[in-house]
Amino acid sequence: MSRVSGLRSSLFRFLCICSVIAYSVTDAKAGITSSFVRSEWPSTDIPLDDEAFIVPEDPNAPQQVRITQGDYDGRAVIISWVTKADPGRSVVFYGLSEHQYDHHALGYVKNYTFYNYKSGYIHHCLVDGLEHDTKYYYKIGTGDSREFWFETPPEIDPDAPYTFGIIGDLGQTYNSLSTLEHYMRSGGKTVLFVGDLSYADRYEYDNGVRWDSWGQFVEKSAAYQPWIWAAGNHEIEYQPHLGETQPFKPFLHRYTTPYLASKSSSPLWYAIRRASAHIIVLSSYSPFVKYTPQWTWLHGELKRVDREKTPWLIVLMHVPLYNSNEAHYMEGESMRVVFESWFVQYKVDLVFAGHVHAYERSYRISNINYNITSGDRYPVPDKSAPVYITVGDGGNQEGLAGRFTNLQPDYSAFREASYGHSTLELKNRTHAFYRWNRNDDGKQVPTDSVQFHNQYWASNQKRRKHRHLRMSSHIASC
Ligand SMILES: [Fe+2]
């Protein structure tokens, strides 16, 4: 071998080694722990006399107006509101044009006491038989009443585009208000709410007042588009020292869900279909082990999912199954052991949770071989597994969970302790764009952006060589 060819050979080997190193670096999926921490406002509730809670002057005008989906497929809404002075008439007038209400629906009214608090009259009214993809105007009660509108979703279709917002642990501070106002500018058409609504339970003796203020706080969004409710620990309100032993009492009186439409036996766990999504809501604080009603229902509901019609399978719960924050660390482990193998088997796309007051997104990983008593206890990459997203960063009075575990686990793709909300834009049966939007100096900043490929269609049609999610995270302000 000549000296020149020897040099060429060495140079070639060097370049090969360099390219292997470069490829490894590019291909590595190192997670990001963002050092950015944003807590713009103090973690205290907005005073009750603030305009954020302003109610109509008429003491018996409907207030705290909100809607949620009323059936399985999005052709019905449940409209809820409160009248303070007397029950009035529980009726909703609605139609296709403003000020012209050709139809009406009758609701029912209920109230409750909690220690020394007596609620107003809480109305719930099912409006069904609606057309898909249509704007309806509605007014509540008789006389010169308040008027609102909502839009029904498109017909169930695998390629129906639709945008959801995801909010958790909202509360009623100025940070909460910032989150809510940013969400309202996001283009989201329905809120997936992952539990812990008002934090009224922090007011032990007059918590109903803060339930009322929160109802008014979210009205500017919730009266015009459905909020899909999951319950959190702050909804439990089990307080035997006050004589209150019925769990979820204020929440269940005030907030309704269409649980019967999905054959559930409890309003705390249920499912809806909307556009191209099948959304399953679970209760972290209701029994879920084998043979319990929730376990049995979920077993059946997963079999009813038809990915040919609703390709996007999304699960909501309050307590995250994967969380590398020191707050609430491993609290979701028992539910993970029970349900995770189903999530992998049925190729759930996304699992959204709250509870931890920070943001975190996982890679597609699973730990189904580990059942607490045996197996390898560390999660592994799994292309059939969901992405787990914690978005408990709505901005409540308890403040941020600012301490992540020192080493970011391999399963954690992105984490940051700031307030914000997420949006999920379903584009068609194969693609969705997801963003987490940090509340940043009064501006909405897309901070963690990911393109998701559908778990059913991407793998079934082998449209892509790499079916894994493609990550395009970036920190906008860096
Ligand atoms: Fe919580």
Side-chain angles (χ1 to χ4, degrees), residues 169 195-196 199 232-234 285 318-319 328 354-357 398:
D169 304 65
D196 283 0
Y199 287 73
N233 52 303
H234 286 277
Y285 300 102
H318 186 60
V319 179
H328 306 300
H355 201 38
V356 179
H357 302 164
E398 290 179 342

Side-chain angles (χ1 to χ4, degrees), residues 196-218:
D196 283 0
L197 287 67
S198 68
Y199 287 73
D201 63 334
R202 305 270 294 186
Y203 299 84
E204 193 168 36
Y205 298 107
D206 56 354
N207 72 356
V209 174
R210 283 289 179 175
W211 271 113
D212 285 328
S213 61
W214 196 81
Q216 199 59 30
F217 181 66
V218 297

Side-chain angles (χ1 to χ4, degrees), residues 221-358:
S221 170
Y224 300 91
Q225 62 171 245
W227 284 44
I228 307 303
W229 303 109
N233 52 303
H234 286 277
E235 280 70 72
I236 301 173
E237 301 198 86
Y238 173 72
Q239 297 188 7
H241 60 290
L242 301 180
E244 297 295 346
T245 55
Q246 182 189 338
F248 302 103
K249 184 179 179 184
F251 173 73
L252 290 176
H253 277 82
R254 291 169 181 270
Y255 294 86
T256 53
T257 67
Y259 67 102
L260 293 173
S262 57
K263 302 182 173 58
S264 165
S265 57
S266 166
L268 297 171
W269 59 86
Y270 61 99
I272 59 163
R273 308 198 307 173
R274 199 162 180 89
S276 51
H278 193 123
I279 295 159
I280 291 175
V281 180
L282 298 179
S283 175
S284 300
Y285 300 102
S286 304
F288 52 77
V289 299
K290 200 169 185 177
Y291 309 129
T292 58
Q294 185 169 206
W295 182 93
T296 305
W297 173 82
L298 180 59
H299 192 237
E301 184 63 22
L302 285 168
K303 289 177 181 164
R304 285 191 283 276
V305 176
D306 183 351
R307 305 295 276 274
E308 302 282 326
K309 292 179 177 165
T310 51
W312 295 97
L313 180 53
I314 297 166
V315 176
L316 313 181
M317 59 181 64
H318 186 60
V319 179
L321 303 193
Y322 286 96
N323 160 43
S324 69
N325 196 294
E326 288 186 11
H328 306 300
Y329 186 64
M330 299 294 275
E331 279 186 20
E333 188 63 359
S334 52
M335 184 178 267
R336 184 198 65 74
V337 169
V338 178
F339 288 154
E340 186 183 28
S341 59
W342 288 349
F343 293 169
V344 174
Q345 179 188 343
Y346 288 94
K347 294 191 172 185
V348 170
D349 285 292
L350 294 155
V351 177
F352 289 105
H355 201 38
V356 179
H357 302 164

